[in-house]
């Protein structure tokens, strides 16, 4: 995870500071109370980190994608929920930056995002699609004055109650096929959001992701110019899988660090005596290094392929980036469970320096964020035709 | 030489379109006509089998399977590369 420029280095120094002082300090309280990590997000706003990926021509910080991914890892080590809110916001920023196609409305929006440090959430999941983001039920319905309206039943909208803007996927007109989608950007203060459930999950509790019925009226200029199928293939899917897997690597790395601290403490208590947990720790390290290898390789592959966007739309690329999500989401809980095995009861307890419970629970959300079985099914098909894997 | 008619036959059988492929122009979007990415995999397998060709990885992308015309063009490109 090398850093290419001074700008990236300054950005990551700030992120490290926020992770270590703010996110870490509130992580347990955020988790215990399933509350939004407001302190860390406020600190990120103050550091202008919400516009970090916005290019300098729009007034943003213009940091590299590699630095954004590293930031997800760094935050993930201290508070999974903070990292996930940050990552999901950056996925939406990347979507706008990479697919605005010169549209003045979105160029202006990016300048506003920089000035106001607006937080963007997404409304991509929908009741009735079986978890398939590439299909929509809700549609943009033309009204009288050239504007369109929609109503979407979303089973989860992460930090929906705390976002300033939403990116919502919809069919592009009432007669469109389920896959004929567009992405629409709209302000939450011009949107009706009716909560449809509670939020008391096993992990990633601070993301505050209950369901909502989302209703709004939008102008044609608020529709991203690129079709959502292109946005999903070239940006939303690979970028989500990359940023999420960096978070999961961060969570697993901190679980490992805690286990290592536990073993060192045990060794110090009885110098010269064998420490049985040290051998277990060595086993966990092999699991962690596999996870790290997969995540780092995928980032390099994305950055290389991105130089020629056409490559992002090949099935071989889809196969790899689905596999990244599958491998990382299955491996991270394995590492956390291994780390808990090293620490034993002090890892199991929630109030010790070696507690692993939050890490294990947070990492278990990984296989549900886009259900792994759906991705395995997709990859099963792609494996039939891909020539080189 | 693969004909557009032969391509249409395969799309008809494996593309799971929500409309009759015969109502579509050669350059009409098959995805907009309801072909899912899962169905496009089956279309590709049938094309490989029928025309005894292999699509290289760099041609396995959405734009290649977008329409009858783009599929036909890809088959021509594969055959000329093999010749």
């Amino acid at each position: 995870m090398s850093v290419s420029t001074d700008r990236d280095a300054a950005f990551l120094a700030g992120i490290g500071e926020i992770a270590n002082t703010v996110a870490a300090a509130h992580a347990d309280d955020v988790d215990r109370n399933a509350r939004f990590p407001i302190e860390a997000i406020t600190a990120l706003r103050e550091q202008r980190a919400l516009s970090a990926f916005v290019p300098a021509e729009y007034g943003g910080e213009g940091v590299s994608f590699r630095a954004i991914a590293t930031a997800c890892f760094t935050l993930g080590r201290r508070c999974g929920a903070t990292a996930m809110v940050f990552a999901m916001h950056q996925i939406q920023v990347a979507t706008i930056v990479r697919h605005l196609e010169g549209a003045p409305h979105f160029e202006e929006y990016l300048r506003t995002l920089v000035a106001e440090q607006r937080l963007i959430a997404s409304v991509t999941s929908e009741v009735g699609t079986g978890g398939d983001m590439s299909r929509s039920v809700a549609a943009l319905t033309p009204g009288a004055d050239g504007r369109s309206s929609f109503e979407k039943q979303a089973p989860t909208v992460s930090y929906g109650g705390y976002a300033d803007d939403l990116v919502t996927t919809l069919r592009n007109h009432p007669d469109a096929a389920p896959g004929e989608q567009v992405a629409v950007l709209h302000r939450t203060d011009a949107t009706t959001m009716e909560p449809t459930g509670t939020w008391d999950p096993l992990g990633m509790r601070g993301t505050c992701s209950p369901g909502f019925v989302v209703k709004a009226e939008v102008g044609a200029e608020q529709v991203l110019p690129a079709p959502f199928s292109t946005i999903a293939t070239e940006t939303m899917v690979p970028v989500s899988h990359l940023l999420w897997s960096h978070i999961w690597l961060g969570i697993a790395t901190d679980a490992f660090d805690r286990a290592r601290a536990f073993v060192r403490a045990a060794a110090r208590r009885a110098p010269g005596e064998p420490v049985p947990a040290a051998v277990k720790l060595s086993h966990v390290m092999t699991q962690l290094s596999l996870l790290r290898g997969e995540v780092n390789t995928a980032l390099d592959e994305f950055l290389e392929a991105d130089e020629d966007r056409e490559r992002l739309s090949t099935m071989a690329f889809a196969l790899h980036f689905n596999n990244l999500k599958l491998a990382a989401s299955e491996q991270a809980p394995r590492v956390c469970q291994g780390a808990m095995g090293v620490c034993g009861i002090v890892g199991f307890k929630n109030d010790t320096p070696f507690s692993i419970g939050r890490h294990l629970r947070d990492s278990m959300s990984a296989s549900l964020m886009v259900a792994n079985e759906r991705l395995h099914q997709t990859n099963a098909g792609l494996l039939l035709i891909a020539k080189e894997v | 030489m693969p004909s557009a008619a032969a391509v249409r036959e395969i799309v008809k059988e494996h593309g799971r379109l929500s409309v009759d492929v015969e109502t579509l122009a050669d350059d009409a979007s098959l995805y907009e006509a309801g072909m899912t990415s899962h169905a496009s995999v089956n279309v590709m397998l049938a094309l490989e089998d029928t025309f005894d060709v292999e699509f290289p990885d760099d041609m396995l992308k959405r734009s290649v399977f977008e329409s009858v015309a783009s599929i036909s063009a890809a088959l021509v490109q594969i055959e000329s590369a093999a010749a």
Side-chain angles (χ1 to χ4, degrees):
Chain A
M1 277 172 241
S2 65
V3 173
S4 55
T5 67
D6 293 347
R7 203 162 40 211
D8 284 359
F11 164 71
L12 287 173
I15 292 288
E17 178 73 18
I18 291 170
N20 290 333
T21 57
V22 188
H26 299 283
D28 285 330
D29 187 64
V30 162
D31 176 57
R32 193 173 305 117
N33 296 305
R35 69 156 177 92
F36 187 70
I38 186 68
E39 300 87 351
I41 300 302
T42 301
L44 289 166
R45 274 197 165 107
E46 284 165 2
Q47 205 213 250
R48 302 169 66 76
L50 297 193
S51 58
F53 192 64
V54 175
E57 60 181 301
Y58 306 117
E61 283 60 37
V63 308
S64 68
F65 183 72
R66 183 182 290 279
I68 297 290
T70 305
C72 290
F73 167 77
T74 302
L75 291 168
R77 285 177 84 159
R78 297 296 173 253
C79 174
T82 298
M84 192 50 80
V85 173
F86 177 78
M88 289 181 143
H89 167 81
Q90 297 298 346
I91 293 161
Q92 304 316 315
V93 174
T95 293
I96 294 168
V97 167
R98 289 161 60 85
H99 298 283
L100 59 78
E101 296 181 0
H105 176 78
F106 285 95
E107 293 187 337
E108 191 50 43
Y109 174 76
L110 290 178
R111 292 190 188 94
T112 310
L113 167 62
V114 172
E116 300 178 10
Q117 293 295 302
R118 301 176 70 82
L119 181 65
I120 318 172
S122 68
V123 187
T124 45
S125 64
E126 187 168 18
V127 175
T129 59
D132 183 355
M133 199 177 74
S134 65
R135 293 189 302 146
S136 283
V137 177
L140 273 178
T141 306
D145 48 358
R147 293 171 67 79
S148 299
S149 60
F150 67 85
E151 174 173 336
K152 181 167 180 172
Q153 318 266 340
T156 55
V157 181
S158 290
Y159 56 94
Y162 301 87
D164 301 304
D165 299 296
L166 299 171
V167 170
T168 301
T169 50
L170 299 161
R171 289 186 297 133
N172 64 6
H173 57 88
D175 303 324
E180 271 183 83
Q181 295 166 291
V182 288
V184 178
L185 174 71
H186 51 110
R187 299 170 63 106
T188 47
D189 61 13
T191 300
T192 310
M193 298 180 73
E194 201 180 294
T196 55
T198 55
W199 179 249
D200 183 12
L202 182 68
M204 283 292 180
R205 292 167 59 80
T207 60
C208 299
S209 315
F212 287 96
V213 179
V214 178
K215 286 185 241 183
E217 195 184 272
V218 295
E221 73 283 357
Q222 289 169 261
V223 180
L224 263 171
F228 183 68
S229 58
T230 303
I231 293 171
T233 304
E234 293 183 2
T235 300
M236 212 178 263
V237 172
V239 166
S240 299
H241 293 183
L242 277 167
L243 298 189
W244 295 348
S245 63
H246 275 79
I247 296 171
W248 303 329
L249 175 62
I251 293 170
T253 300
D254 192 53
F256 177 81
D257 285 344
R258 288 177 179 222
R260 197 160 71 95
F262 172 82
V263 170
R264 285 158 59 98
R268 274 199 301 269
R269 272 197 306 274
E273 297 288 312
V275 182
V279 179
K280 284 193 201 166
L281 184 67
S282 172
H283 283 275
V284 180
M285 183 172 170
T286 65
Q287 298 299 318
L288 176 65
S289 66
L290 290 175
L291 174 60
R292 189 188 298 132
E294 172 66 17
V295 171
N296 290 350
T297 307
L299 179 59
D300 289 341
E301 192 186 343
F302 174 77
L303 293 173
E304 193 190 319
D306 197 36
E307 288 166 15
D308 167 18
R309 282 235 194 141
E310 273 286 282
R311 276 172 64 192
L312 301 181
S313 65
T314 63
M315 293 183 189
F317 185 83
L319 183 69
H320 282 192
F321 281 79
N322 287 341
N323 186 67
L324 163 67
K325 196 273 171 182
L326 292 165
S329 66
E330 288 168 10
Q331 188 70 351
R334 212 173 274 148
V335 172
C336 293
Q337 198 171 352
M340 188 177 279
V342 171
C343 297
I345 186 67
V346 298
F348 192 69
K349 288 164 75 171
N350 279 331
D351 53 356
T352 80
F354 312 109
S355 301
I356 311 282
R358 173 166 55 83
H359 304 69
L360 182 57
R361 289 183 288 100
D362 281 355
S363 72
M364 288 175 80
S365 71
S367 62
L368 311 176
M369 295 181 57
V370 183
N372 276 12
E373 282 314 298
R374 166 173 297 284
L375 289 177
H376 274 301
Q377 262 175 17
T378 304
N379 271 10
L382 294 174
L383 278 166
L384 294 177
I385 56 174
K387 300 302 178 293
E388 281 192 39
V389 297
Chain B
M1 178 56 119
S3 69
V7 172
R8 279 173 179 276
E9 196 53 40
I10 287 169
V11 170
K12 187 184 185 123
E13 192 171 343
H14 300 282
R16 294 183 162 189
L17 304 187
S18 51
V19 298
D20 184 349
V21 68
E22 299 308 334
T23 66
L24 296 176
D26 275 0
D27 59 353
S29 168
L30 298 174
Y31 295 107
E32 285 183 18
M35 183 171 72
T36 63
S37 50
H38 181 69
S40 72
V41 165
N42 292 328
V43 167
M44 211 236 49
L45 287 173
L47 290 166
E48 288 197 338
D49 191 43
T50 304
F51 298 113
D52 193 24
V53 293
E54 280 210 351
F55 282 82
D57 278 335
D58 63 2
M59 290 180 74
L60 291 174
K61 57 190 172 194
R62 192 179 165 90
S63 55
V64 167
F65 298 94
E66 184 73 42
S67 65
V68 169
S70 62
I71 293 172
S72 303
L75 288 168
V76 168
Q77 195 185 327
I78 292 169
E79 296 202 336
S80 63

